[in-house]
Amino acid sequence: MLRTLNSAFSSGISKIKWFFSILSERIKVEIAVMKILGQSEKFEKKRKDLLVSMGERLVELKDMNKTNIFEDQDIKDAFKELDTLDDEISELRKTAEEISSLEV
């Protein structure tokens, strides 16, 4: 009887360890995804700030009666930075998607 009880107890403990090991791995994955999405949000904020500064620069150019806004170096630089930020954001989101779809 004592052997049966000990065997059942050991079996129960091993199942609990197995469950919590899987839970631990899943939590690690979710934390990694949250960190990546946090970085993505930082880039989104930079992107929005860049768009605001571009808009302000466009208003300045309008007041100066410039006809071609794309010749302005500030606007060119802002578009390059905007493209870089968009690439980074999409890459981070793709990475987060890949990580969250992993089977543990």
Side-chain angles (χ1 to χ4, degrees):
M1 163 116 163
L2 195 54
R3 286 183 188 158
T4 306
L5 185 60
N6 190 21
S7 174
F9 183 73
S10 295
S11 174
I13 293 294
S14 66
K15 287 179 183 179
I16 290 172
K17 284 181 180 179
W18 171 80
F19 174 77
F20 281 109
S21 69
I22 289 177
L23 184 63
S24 171
E25 290 301 315
R26 190 61 203 177
I27 288 172
K28 288 177 186 175
V29 168
E30 293 300 324
I31 289 172
V33 169
M34 284 190 286
K35 286 180 181 178
I36 290 172
L37 290 177
Q39 289 175 339
S40 174
E41 288 299 317
K42 287 179 186 176
F43 283 127
E44 280 288 337
K45 184 179 180 331
K46 282 184 182 179
R47 184 180 186 278
K48 287 178 184 177
D49 293 342
L50 181 62
L51 289 173
V52 168
S53 68
M54 287 174 71
E56 290 172 354
R57 181 66 183 156
L58 288 175
V59 170
E60 289 174 11
L61 292 175
K62 177 186 163 254
D63 292 340
M64 294 168 28
N65 291 325
K66 280 222 173 177
T67 56
N68 191 353
I69 60 170
F70 296 107
E71 290 177 358
D72 185 65
Q73 190 61 40
D74 292 338
I75 298 294
K76 287 180 183 179
D77 293 341
F79 273 119
K80 287 179 186 176
E81 189 175 348
L82 188 63
D83 289 340
T84 303
L85 286 173
D86 286 341
D87 291 343
E88 283 291 326
I89 290 168
S90 66
E91 187 65 34
L92 285 171
R93 289 194 176 160
K94 181 182 173 187
T95 303
E97 220 174 88
E98 290 172 356
I99 290 174
S100 66
S101 68
L102 290 177
E103 294 292 324
V104 179

